[in-house]
Amino acid sequence: MSSGAEKRVLPGPTAPGAEPLLADSQAALDQELSELTAVLEASAPSNDCGSESIDSTDSEGTSSHSKDGAIEKKSRSATYCNDLIRKDMSDEEILSLIEHEVSEIISEHKALNDYEVVFLYDFNMINRTHASSIYQRLSSLRKNNILLILKSPGGEVEPAYLISKLCIRLKGNKFVIGVPSEAKSAATLLSLGADEIHMGAMSELGPIDPQINGYPALAFSSALEKIAQLSEKYPGASTMLAQYLIGSKLDVQALGHYDRITESSEQYALRLLQSKATTTDSSGKLARLASYFTNHYKDHSFVIDVEEAQKLLGTEVVFSESEIYQACHEIHKFLEACEIIMHLRGHKRRITVLGSKFMLRKF
């Protein structure tokens, strides 16, 4: 277990998805941007702010049933969120409204009917608390298919592996992950245990190489190899490079430890890939894939978009723009809009959902 100054964590990047948006998607995003701009302009201090109704039915209506009994989807635009959240509301009132709306979104999507929906939706790094929250949620349910809505910048390797194994152990027939935004580093490791990963244009996975004090564990041995190459290429500089190494107080034992940390991450990735293999991996394909995720990418912030994920894991595992993804994206879009409105209303909070528990955290 990583701890202290050597936590194997990585702050995730905020890089955009690499896949270009379709024209219809771009038009929709442009419309949302226009709405948010209008909200920004309308959110200057006003005298009637306190008169806004707490009843969300006064905004754009609740979900209703069509003639055949199906639940019709409600439009939850930025304007809707602006009407939903008042400046004078308490955190508890805001959370209650948000949780209710998310529950409605889930009920509006038939594709989610066969799943227990669980969240790991957090801007903080994955740690043991996340694993405990997921376990508490799953252990209280009967065995069923599991959908984990995953948004995370990464975190500690061990809890991420444990969460994936928990979902595998406690699932019914399927363990499915929806990635509406980023699931980087340790969150990508977690995803490797899923039977299906549902992604879209703005989804991103990332390399799972562990980090130590903000640097890739592989960087330390790579730096030593680079110095050795320079010494061989420029023999006249060998003495200077040797003095540099002596002055750097390089800990050779630490170098070996860092390499073993990387190897450990690769082993975790391989175990998760093997957990869903239906045949013996006599060709070593899974081992090469685990190594690829851990060692191939030169930048920890590298964006593994839906197309690259499909090339690596296959279209039978990674699904693009599926109905499950659309539901996860709608939830993410709603939560993002709520965070923007809360900021405009003076609530300096971010939304976290762990297991089934909704929380507002200061930032």
Side-chain angles (χ1 to χ4, degrees):
M1 179 69 66
S2 57
S3 61
E6 292 187 358
K7 280 191 176 179
R8 306 169 207 176
V9 300
L10 175 76
T14 55
E19 184 177 311
L21 293 175
L22 299 175
D24 290 346
S25 299
Q26 185 62 57
L29 288 174
D30 289 343
Q31 176 62 29
E32 289 179 26
L33 182 59
S34 297
E35 291 178 349
L36 285 172
T37 301
V39 169
L40 285 168
E41 293 173 349
S43 295
S46 61
N47 295 327
D48 59 351
C49 181
S51 64
E52 297 172 3
S53 173
I54 193 171
D55 185 358
S56 61
T57 60
D58 291 339
S59 303
E60 296 184 17
T62 58
S63 303
S64 59
H65 293 271
S66 60
K67 293 180 180 178
D68 61 1
I71 299 177
E72 296 179 345
K73 296 177 183 177
K74 184 198 302 184
S75 173
R76 294 175 177 84
S77 64
T79 302
Y80 176 82
C81 295
N82 183 49
D83 293 337
L84 190 68
I85 299 172
R86 297 199 322 260
K87 186 175 182 179
D88 61 350
M89 292 176 71
S90 67
D91 286 357
E92 290 74 17
E93 289 173 320
I94 294 172
L95 275 177
S96 178
L97 284 174
I98 291 174
E99 187 170 356
H100 173 74
E101 292 292 330
V102 170
S103 178
E104 281 200 343
I105 294 173
I106 292 172
S107 67
E108 290 166 5
H109 289 268
K110 288 184 177 180
L112 307 189
N113 288 350
D114 296 329
Y115 293 92
E116 296 291 351
V117 179
V118 183
F119 290 84
L120 199 171
Y121 188 98
D122 197 0
F123 60 94
N124 289 316
M125 297 296 175
I126 295 174
N127 56 53
R128 188 78 184 190
T129 300
H130 294 81
S132 178
S133 297
I134 298 297
Y135 174 72
Q136 289 176 25
R137 167 63 174 163
L138 292 178
S139 62
S140 66
L141 304 170
R142 61 183 176 83
K143 273 203 168 186
N144 198 355
N145 297 329
I146 296 171
L147 168 60
L148 178 65
I149 299 178
L150 179 60
K151 178 184 180 294
S152 170
E156 296 182 42
V157 173
E158 295 86 352
Y161 174 76
L162 184 59
I163 291 169
S164 195
K165 291 291 286 186
L166 280 171
C167 292
I168 293 169
R169 186 178 299 113
L170 299 175
K171 71 179 181 180
N173 295 319
K174 273 187 182 182
F175 162 36
V176 173
I177 283 181
V179 184
S181 184
E182 76 277 5
K184 307 292 284 187
S185 187
T188 296
L189 172 70
L190 192 167
S191 301
L192 296 182
D195 298 301
E196 297 175 3
I197 304 172
H198 293 257
M199 301 175 65
M202 296 303 290
S203 305
E204 56 175 293
L205 304 178
I208 59 175
D209 53 315
Q211 306 290 291
I212 297 173
N213 297 330
Y215 293 96
L218 287 172
F220 298 95
S221 57
S222 296
L224 189 59
E225 290 174 5
K226 185 67 175 179
I227 290 174
Q229 291 172 3
L230 289 172
S231 181
E232 182 178 357
K233 187 174 182 179
Y234 305 104
S238 297
T239 302
M240 179 188 70
L241 292 171
Q243 290 175 343
Y244 170 77
L245 284 175
I246 294 171
S248 68
K249 298 180 181 179
L250 183 66
D251 187 342
V252 178
Q253 290 182 333
L255 278 178
H257 175 59
Y258 298 157
D259 284 344
R260 291 183 69 83
I261 288 174
T262 301
E263 291 168 5
S264 177
S265 296
E266 188 175 331
Q267 288 178 334
Y268 283 136
L270 178 58
R271 279 164 169 72
L272 291 176
L273 291 168
Q274 289 174 333
S275 68
K276 56 187 180 182
T278 55
T279 59
T280 303
D281 183 33
S282 57
S283 66
K285 178 182 177 182
L286 296 181
R288 290 193 298 273
L289 185 57
S291 176
Y292 196 91
F293 271 101
T294 309
N295 301 299
H296 172 72
Y297 298 99
K298 305 305 179 186
D299 181 11
H300 192 80
S301 301
F302 194 95
V303 173
I304 300 177
D305 64 5
V306 61
E307 289 182 345
E308 179 148 0
Q310 286 181 325
K311 290 177 183 176
L312 293 173
L313 299 170
T315 54
E316 70 279 6
V317 173
V318 180
F319 293 79
S320 177
E321 302 290 346
S322 65
E323 194 173 343
I324 289 177
Y325 166 77
Q326 296 297 337
C328 296
H329 173 68
E330 186 176 342
I331 291 171
H332 169 63
K333 184 174 68 172
F334 170 72
L335 294 178
E336 271 201 332
C338 286
E339 284 189 344
I340 292 173
I341 301 304
M342 282 192 294
H343 180 76
L344 296 172
R345 293 280 189 259
H347 296 277
K348 307 296 184 181
R349 302 286 188 273
R350 295 200 68 176
I351 300 169
T352 292
V353 194
L354 299 181
S356 59
K357 185 176 182 180
F358 286 69
M359 294 167 277
L360 293 180
R361 290 181 170 171
K362 294 181 180 180
F363 68 96

mmCIF file of all heavy atoms in Angstrom, residues 323-353:
data_model
loop_
_atom_site.group_PDB
_atom_site.id
_atom_site.type_symbol
_atom_site.label_atom_id
_atom_site.label_comp_id
_atom_site.label_asym_id
_atom_site.label_seq_id
_atom_site.Cartn_x
_atom_site.Cartn_y
_atom_site.Cartn_z
ATOM 1 N N GLU A 323 -26.255 3.784 -25.596
ATOM 2 C CA GLU A 323 -27.333 4.361 -24.791
ATOM 3 C C GLU A 323 -26.906 4.497 -23.327
ATOM 4 O O GLU A 323 -27.286 5.446 -22.641
ATOM 5 C CB GLU A 323 -28.591 3.492 -24.907
ATOM 6 C CG GLU A 323 -29.852 4.179 -24.398
ATOM 7 C CD GLU A 323 -31.115 3.389 -24.670
ATOM 8 O OE1 GLU A 323 -31.073 2.478 -25.517
ATOM 9 O OE2 GLU A 323 -32.148 3.692 -24.021
ATOM 10 N N ILE A 324 -26.103 3.532 -22.860
ATOM 11 C CA ILE A 324 -25.587 3.624 -21.494
ATOM 12 C C ILE A 324 -24.685 4.843 -21.355
ATOM 13 O O ILE A 324 -24.774 5.595 -20.370
ATOM 14 C CB ILE A 324 -24.837 2.330 -21.101
ATOM 15 C CG1 ILE A 324 -25.831 1.190 -20.911
ATOM 16 C CG2 ILE A 324 -24.025 2.540 -19.820
ATOM 17 C CD1 ILE A 324 -25.192 -0.144 -20.598
ATOM 18 N N TYR A 325 -23.814 5.061 -22.337
ATOM 19 C CA TYR A 325 -22.955 6.252 -22.293
ATOM 20 C C TYR A 325 -23.801 7.524 -22.294
ATOM 21 O O TYR A 325 -23.504 8.471 -21.552
ATOM 22 C CB TYR A 325 -21.985 6.281 -23.473
ATOM 23 C CG TYR A 325 -21.353 7.647 -23.630
ATOM 24 C CD1 TYR A 325 -20.328 8.054 -22.773
ATOM 25 C CD2 TYR A 325 -21.826 8.559 -24.579
ATOM 26 C CE1 TYR A 325 -19.775 9.320 -22.875
ATOM 27 C CE2 TYR A 325 -21.277 9.823 -24.682
ATOM 28 C CZ TYR A 325 -20.257 10.205 -23.838
ATOM 29 O OH TYR A 325 -19.726 11.470 -23.925
ATOM 30 N N GLN A 326 -24.825 7.568 -23.135
ATOM 31 C CA GLN A 326 -25.664 8.765 -23.225
ATOM 32 C C GLN A 326 -26.289 9.093 -21.873
ATOM 33 O O GLN A 326 -26.374 10.262 -21.474
ATOM 34 C CB GLN A 326 -26.755 8.579 -24.288
ATOM 35 C CG GLN A 326 -26.237 8.415 -25.713
ATOM 36 C CD GLN A 326 -25.485 9.633 -26.217
ATOM 37 O OE1 GLN A 326 -25.677 10.748 -25.728
ATOM 38 N NE2 GLN A 326 -24.616 9.429 -27.203
ATOM 39 N N ALA A 327 -26.717 8.056 -21.142
ATOM 40 C CA ALA A 327 -27.291 8.282 -19.811
ATOM 41 C C ALA A 327 -26.240 8.828 -18.859
ATOM 42 O O ALA A 327 -26.493 9.781 -18.103
ATOM 43 C CB ALA A 327 -27.870 6.972 -19.277
ATOM 44 N N CYS A 328 -25.036 8.239 -18.885
ATOM 45 C CA CYS A 328 -23.949 8.711 -18.014
ATOM 46 C C CYS A 328 -23.559 10.145 -18.366
ATOM 47 O O CYS A 328 -23.294 10.973 -17.475
ATOM 48 C CB CYS A 328 -22.734 7.788 -18.146
ATOM 49 S SG CYS A 328 -23.015 6.094 -17.594
ATOM 50 N N HIS A 329 -23.519 10.430 -19.662
ATOM 51 C CA HIS A 329 -23.166 11.786 -20.099
ATOM 52 C C HIS A 329 -24.213 12.794 -19.643
ATOM 53 O O HIS A 329 -23.870 13.914 -19.234
ATOM 54 C CB HIS A 329 -23.037 11.816 -21.622
ATOM 55 C CG HIS A 329 -22.832 13.195 -22.178
ATOM 56 N ND1 HIS A 329 -21.679 13.921 -21.971
ATOM 57 C CD2 HIS A 329 -23.647 13.997 -22.912
ATOM 58 C CE1 HIS A 329 -21.783 15.095 -22.556
ATOM 59 N NE2 HIS A 329 -22.968 15.173 -23.127
ATOM 60 N N GLU A 330 -25.481 12.412 -19.709
ATOM 61 C CA GLU A 330 -26.544 13.325 -19.277
ATOM 62 C C GLU A 330 -26.418 13.636 -17.791
ATOM 63 O O GLU A 330 -26.600 14.789 -17.358
ATOM 64 C CB GLU A 330 -27.910 12.722 -19.589
ATOM 65 C CG GLU A 330 -29.061 13.680 -19.306
ATOM 66 C CD GLU A 330 -30.415 13.132 -19.713
ATOM 67 O OE1 GLU A 330 -30.458 12.170 -20.505
ATOM 68 O OE2 GLU A 330 -31.438 13.662 -19.226
ATOM 69 N N ILE A 331 -26.106 12.618 -16.995
ATOM 70 C CA ILE A 331 -25.905 12.833 -15.553
ATOM 71 C C ILE A 331 -24.719 13.766 -15.328
ATOM 72 O O ILE A 331 -24.801 14.726 -14.545
ATOM 73 C CB ILE A 331 -25.681 11.487 -14.837
ATOM 74 C CG1 ILE A 331 -26.972 10.675 -14.830
ATOM 75 C CG2 ILE A 331 -25.197 11.715 -13.403
ATOM 76 C CD1 ILE A 331 -26.806 9.249 -14.354
ATOM 77 N N HIS A 332 -23.620 13.506 -16.024
ATOM 78 C CA HIS A 332 -22.414 14.335 -15.881
ATOM 79 C C HIS A 332 -22.685 15.774 -16.304
ATOM 80 O O HIS A 332 -22.291 16.723 -15.616
ATOM 81 C CB HIS A 332 -21.291 13.735 -16.717
ATOM 82 C CG HIS A 332 -20.100 14.625 -16.866
ATOM 83 N ND1 HIS A 332 -19.323 15.030 -15.792
ATOM 84 C CD2 HIS A 332 -19.535 15.204 -17.971
ATOM 85 C CE1 HIS A 332 -18.338 15.806 -16.227
ATOM 86 N NE2 HIS A 332 -18.459 15.926 -17.530
ATOM 87 N N LYS A 333 -23.379 15.953 -17.417
ATOM 88 C CA LYS A 333 -23.692 17.293 -17.921
ATOM 89 C C LYS A 333 -24.548 18.057 -16.910
ATOM 90 O O LYS A 333 -24.322 19.245 -16.663
ATOM 91 C CB LYS A 333 -24.415 17.179 -19.266
ATOM 92 C CG LYS A 333 -24.701 18.514 -19.938
ATOM 93 C CD LYS A 333 -25.290 18.311 -21.327
ATOM 94 C CE LYS A 333 -26.672 17.706 -21.244
ATOM 95 N NZ LYS A 333 -27.347 17.668 -22.579
ATOM 96 N N PHE A 334 -25.522 17.362 -16.320
ATOM 97 C CA PHE A 334 -26.384 17.989 -15.315
ATOM 98 C C PHE A 334 -25.572 18.391 -14.083
ATOM 99 O O PHE A 334 -25.716 19.516 -13.567
ATOM 100 C CB PHE A 334 -27.513 17.036 -14.928
ATOM 101 C CG PHE A 334 -28.305 17.490 -13.736
ATOM 102 C CD1 PHE A 334 -29.169 18.566 -13.823
ATOM 103 C CD2 PHE A 334 -28.170 16.836 -12.507
ATOM 104 C CE1 PHE A 334 -29.894 18.997 -12.718
ATOM 105 C CE2 PHE A 334 -28.890 17.257 -11.402
ATOM 106 C CZ PHE A 334 -29.757 18.336 -11.505
ATOM 107 N N LEU A 335 -24.720 17.505 -13.598
ATOM 108 C CA LEU A 335 -23.919 17.807 -12.410
ATOM 109 C C LEU A 335 -22.948 18.953 -12.673
ATOM 110 O O LEU A 335 -22.742 19.815 -11.809
ATOM 111 C CB LEU A 335 -23.156 16.558 -11.953
ATOM 112 C CG LEU A 335 -24.021 15.391 -11.448
ATOM 113 C CD1 LEU A 335 -23.145 14.202 -11.080
ATOM 114 C CD2 LEU A 335 -24.882 15.810 -10.269
ATOM 115 N N GLU A 336 -22.360 18.985 -13.858
ATOM 116 C CA GLU A 336 -21.461 20.090 -14.218
ATOM 117 C C GLU A 336 -22.207 21.411 -14.240
ATOM 118 O O GLU A 336 -21.705 22.428 -13.745
ATOM 119 C CB GLU A 336 -20.825 19.827 -15.580
ATOM 120 C CG GLU A 336 -19.534 19.047 -15.526
ATOM 121 C CD GLU A 336 -18.697 19.229 -16.779
ATOM 122 O OE1 GLU A 336 -19.282 19.480 -17.864
ATOM 123 O OE2 GLU A 336 -17.466 19.130 -16.690
ATOM 124 N N ALA A 337 -23.399 21.413 -14.842
ATOM 125 C CA ALA A 337 -24.201 22.638 -14.895
ATOM 126 C C ALA A 337 -24.569 23.096 -13.490
ATOM 127 O O ALA A 337 -24.526 24.298 -13.181
ATOM 128 C CB ALA A 337 -25.458 22.412 -15.739
ATOM 129 N N CYS A 338 -24.901 22.152 -12.612
ATOM 130 C CA CYS A 338 -25.236 22.504 -11.220
ATOM 131 C C CYS A 338 -24.042 23.129 -10.517
ATOM 132 O O CYS A 338 -24.200 24.093 -9.755
ATOM 133 C CB CYS A 338 -25.694 21.263 -10.460
ATOM 134 S SG CYS A 338 -27.350 20.691 -10.902
ATOM 135 N N GLU A 339 -22.840 22.616 -10.765
ATOM 136 C CA GLU A 339 -21.646 23.183 -10.142
ATOM 137 C C GLU A 339 -21.418 24.628 -10.599
ATOM 138 O O GLU A 339 -21.059 25.495 -9.801
ATOM 139 C CB GLU A 339 -20.416 22.331 -10.480
ATOM 140 C CG GLU A 339 -20.341 21.040 -9.699
ATOM 141 C CD GLU A 339 -19.012 20.327 -9.894
ATOM 142 O OE1 GLU A 339 -18.287 20.664 -10.854
ATOM 143 O OE2 GLU A 339 -18.688 19.447 -9.080
ATOM 144 N N ILE A 340 -21.642 24.866 -11.881
ATOM 145 C CA ILE A 340 -21.483 26.237 -12.409
ATOM 146 C C ILE A 340 -22.484 27.180 -11.753
ATOM 147 O O ILE A 340 -22.138 28.279 -11.311
ATOM 148 C CB ILE A 340 -21.653 26.241 -13.939
ATOM 149 C CG1 ILE A 340 -20.494 25.501 -14.607
ATOM 150 C CG2 ILE A 340 -21.730 27.684 -14.470
ATOM 151 C CD1 ILE A 340 -20.667 25.303 -16.094
ATOM 152 N N ILE A 341 -23.739 26.748 -11.669
ATOM 153 C CA ILE A 341 -24.771 27.594 -11.070
ATOM 154 C C ILE A 341 -24.492 27.813 -9.587
ATOM 155 O O ILE A 341 -24.660 28.924 -9.059
ATOM 156 C CB ILE A 341 -26.168 26.970 -11.276
ATOM 157 C CG1 ILE A 341 -26.466 26.808 -12.773
ATOM 158 C CG2 ILE A 341 -27.231 27.833 -10.609
ATOM 159 C CD1 ILE A 341 -26.362 28.085 -13.578
ATOM 160 N N MET A 342 -24.046 26.778 -8.883
ATOM 161 C CA MET A 342 -23.710 26.942 -7.464
ATOM 162 C C MET A 342 -22.606 27.974 -7.299
ATOM 163 O O MET A 342 -22.644 28.799 -6.379
ATOM 164 C CB MET A 342 -23.274 25.602 -6.862
ATOM 165 C CG MET A 342 -24.419 24.667 -6.536
ATOM 166 S SD MET A 342 -23.900 23.259 -5.516
ATOM 167 C CE MET A 342 -22.828 22.384 -6.631
ATOM 168 N N HIS A 343 -21.629 27.933 -8.185
ATOM 169 C CA HIS A 343 -20.542 28.912 -8.126
ATOM 170 C C HIS A 343 -21.092 30.328 -8.317
ATOM 171 O O HIS A 343 -20.714 31.260 -7.592
ATOM 172 C CB HIS A 343 -19.497 28.592 -9.192
ATOM 173 C CG HIS A 343 -18.350 29.544 -9.215
ATOM 174 N ND1 HIS A 343 -17.336 29.516 -8.276
ATOM 175 C CD2 HIS A 343 -18.062 30.581 -10.044
ATOM 176 C CE1 HIS A 343 -16.470 30.479 -8.538
ATOM 177 N NE2 HIS A 343 -16.885 31.135 -9.609
ATOM 178 N N LEU A 344 -21.993 30.466 -9.282
ATOM 179 C CA LEU A 344 -22.588 31.776 -9.542
ATOM 180 C C LEU A 344 -23.471 32.229 -8.384
ATOM 181 O O LEU A 344 -23.611 33.426 -8.134
ATOM 182 C CB LEU A 344 -23.405 31.736 -10.835
ATOM 183 C CG LEU A 344 -22.624 31.464 -12.120
ATOM 184 C CD1 LEU A 344 -23.565 31.251 -13.293
ATOM 185 C CD2 LEU A 344 -21.663 32.606 -12.418
ATOM 186 N N ARG A 345 -24.049 31.282 -7.673
ATOM 187 C CA ARG A 345 -24.916 31.603 -6.539
ATOM 188 C C ARG A 345 -24.121 31.821 -5.243
ATOM 189 O O ARG A 345 -24.686 32.070 -4.200
ATOM 190 C CB ARG A 345 -25.913 30.454 -6.316
ATOM 191 C CG ARG A 345 -26.933 30.284 -7.439
ATOM 192 C CD ARG A 345 -28.048 31.304 -7.293
ATOM 193 N NE ARG A 345 -29.126 31.046 -8.217
ATOM 194 C CZ ARG A 345 -29.331 31.702 -9.354
ATOM 195 N NH1 ARG A 345 -28.491 32.659 -9.709
ATOM 196 N NH2 ARG A 345 -30.337 31.415 -10.141
ATOM 197 N N GLY A 346 -22.811 31.663 -5.327
ATOM 198 C CA GLY A 346 -21.983 31.877 -4.141
ATOM 199 C C GLY A 346 -21.710 30.629 -3.330
ATOM 200 O O GLY A 346 -21.103 30.701 -2.263
ATOM 201 N N HIS A 347 -22.165 29.478 -3.823
ATOM 202 C CA HIS A 347 -21.877 28.206 -3.148
ATOM 203 C C HIS A 347 -20.564 27.659 -3.705
ATOM 204 O O HIS A 347 -20.533 27.088 -4.795
ATOM 205 C CB HIS A 347 -23.004 27.191 -3.392
ATOM 206 C CG HIS A 347 -24.322 27.583 -2.830
ATOM 207 N ND1 HIS A 347 -24.662 27.374 -1.508
ATOM 208 C CD2 HIS A 347 -25.400 28.172 -3.411
ATOM 209 C CE1 HIS A 347 -25.893 27.818 -1.304
ATOM 210 N NE2 HIS A 347 -26.356 28.303 -2.435
ATOM 211 N N LYS A 348 -19.467 27.818 -2.991
ATOM 212 C CA LYS A 348 -18.158 27.342 -3.455
ATOM 213 C C LYS A 348 -18.033 25.855 -3.151
ATOM 214 O O LYS A 348 -17.352 25.439 -2.216
ATOM 215 C CB LYS A 348 -17.035 28.136 -2.777
ATOM 216 C CG LYS A 348 -17.173 29.652 -2.905
ATOM 217 C CD LYS A 348 -17.069 30.100 -4.354
ATOM 218 C CE LYS A 348 -17.102 31.632 -4.451
ATOM 219 N NZ LYS A 348 -17.036 32.106 -5.832
ATOM 220 N N ARG A 349 -18.716 25.055 -3.951
ATOM 221 C CA ARG A 349 -18.776 23.620 -3.716
ATOM 222 C C ARG A 349 -18.586 22.854 -5.025
ATOM 223 O O ARG A 349 -18.885 23.353 -6.101
ATOM 224 C CB ARG A 349 -20.132 23.216 -3.113
ATOM 225 C CG ARG A 349 -20.486 23.885 -1.815
ATOM 226 C CD ARG A 349 -19.684 23.334 -0.652
ATOM 227 N NE ARG A 349 -20.161 23.841 0.622
ATOM 228 C CZ ARG A 349 -19.755 24.972 1.171
ATOM 229 N NH1 ARG A 349 -18.860 25.724 0.544
ATOM 230 N NH2 ARG A 349 -20.235 25.360 2.350
ATOM 231 N N ARG A 350 -18.087 21.615 -4.866
ATOM 232 C CA ARG A 350 -18.060 20.685 -5.988
ATOM 233 C C ARG A 350 -18.824 19.434 -5.579
ATOM 234 O O ARG A 350 -18.891 19.078 -4.412
ATOM 235 C CB ARG A 350 -16.620 20.337 -6.385
ATOM 236 C CG ARG A 350 -15.850 21.540 -6.917
ATOM 237 C CD ARG A 350 -14.659 21.115 -7.733
ATOM 238 N NE ARG A 350 -15.069 20.465 -8.976
ATOM 239 C CZ ARG A 350 -14.202 20.062 -9.905
ATOM 240 N NH1 ARG A 350 -12.902 20.223 -9.716
ATOM 241 N NH2 ARG A 350 -14.633 19.482 -11.005
ATOM 242 N N ILE A 351 -19.391 18.772 -6.585
ATOM 243 C CA ILE A 351 -20.240 17.613 -6.326
ATOM 244 C C ILE A 351 -19.412 16.330 -6.372
ATOM 245 O O ILE A 351 -18.670 16.096 -7.321
ATOM 246 C CB ILE A 351 -21.385 17.536 -7.353
ATOM 247 C CG1 ILE A 351 -22.246 18.806 -7.282
ATOM 248 C CG2 ILE A 351 -22.247 16.294 -7.118
ATOM 249 C CD1 ILE A 351 -23.240 18.926 -8.432
ATOM 250 N N THR A 352 -19.567 15.524 -5.349
ATOM 251 C CA THR A 352 -18.954 14.204 -5.287
ATOM 252 C C THR A 352 -20.058 13.177 -5.031
ATOM 253 O O THR A 352 -20.951 13.423 -4.222
ATOM 254 C CB THR A 352 -17.908 14.124 -4.152
ATOM 255 O OG1 THR A 352 -16.796 14.956 -4.475
ATOM 256 C CG2 THR A 352 -17.419 12.705 -3.941
ATOM 257 N N VAL A 353 -19.992 12.062 -5.751
ATOM 258 C CA VAL A 353 -20.934 10.968 -5.515
ATOM 259 C C VAL A 353 -20.112 9.692 -5.368
ATOM 260 O O VAL A 353 -19.418 9.279 -6.298
ATOM 261 C CB VAL A 353 -21.955 10.801 -6.653
ATOM 262 C CG1 VAL A 353 -23.095 9.887 -6.192
ATOM 263 C CG2 VAL A 353 -22.501 12.140 -7.127
#
